[in-house]
Amino acid sequence: MVTRDLLDIYSQRGTPGAVREAIGEALRTRTVGTQYLVEALDRHYDYLEGTSAPPLEVIVPAILENRIAAAVPALLQQLADHETPLGALPLVMRAVVELGDPSVLP
């Protein structure tokens, strides 16, 4: 649950940059609670629902560091989502290529 709480703190608008950096580092080194990283990928921006896109800039490096291949389907959904931030697309694509098998590349 610590991983989930760290993601929640990171996502808050008022969180200072230094705290965000520390959270990013902590998430990359955590080996437990990684299921919350994958679950966070299921969230998508929706204006009407009031939901924001997940913080891919911190989630994807942690997924790569922990080699979580189970995240590939959710990463593919993020690639297909037109609301995924453009700056995050190269990182998401890299994760799909590194973690997915050859069948996901097309």
Side-chain angles (χ1 to χ4, degrees), residues 1 7-8 31 38 40 42 47-48 54 62-63 66-67 75 101:
M1 294 172 78
L7 286 171
D8 288 342
T31 58
V38 178
D42 289 333
Y47 176 77
L48 295 176
I63 286 172
N66 287 286
R67 309 299 302 164
L75 290 166
D101 61 58

Side-chain angles (χ1 to χ4, degrees), residues 15-99:
T15 303
V19 173
R20 286 178 180 228
E21 288 179 31
I23 290 172
E25 182 61 32
L27 289 174
R28 281 190 301 279
T29 59
R30 289 186 58 76
T31 58
V32 295
T34 55
Q35 72 272 17
Y36 294 108
L37 297 170
V38 178
E39 287 176 14
L41 291 173
D42 289 333
R43 192 173 78 223
H44 297 271
Y45 172 80
D46 188 315
Y47 176 77
L48 295 176
E49 295 292 324
T51 57
S52 60
L56 297 173
E57 68 278 3
V58 71
I59 293 172
V60 178
I63 286 172
L64 281 166
E65 186 71 30
N66 287 286
R67 309 299 302 164
I68 306 171
V72 171
L75 290 166
L76 288 170
Q77 287 180 355
Q78 287 293 331
L79 280 176
D81 185 351
H82 69 281
E83 294 291 348
T84 298
L86 290 177
L89 290 178
L91 185 59
V92 174
M93 180 61 79
R94 181 177 143 222
V96 168
V97 170
E98 287 186 25
L99 299 174

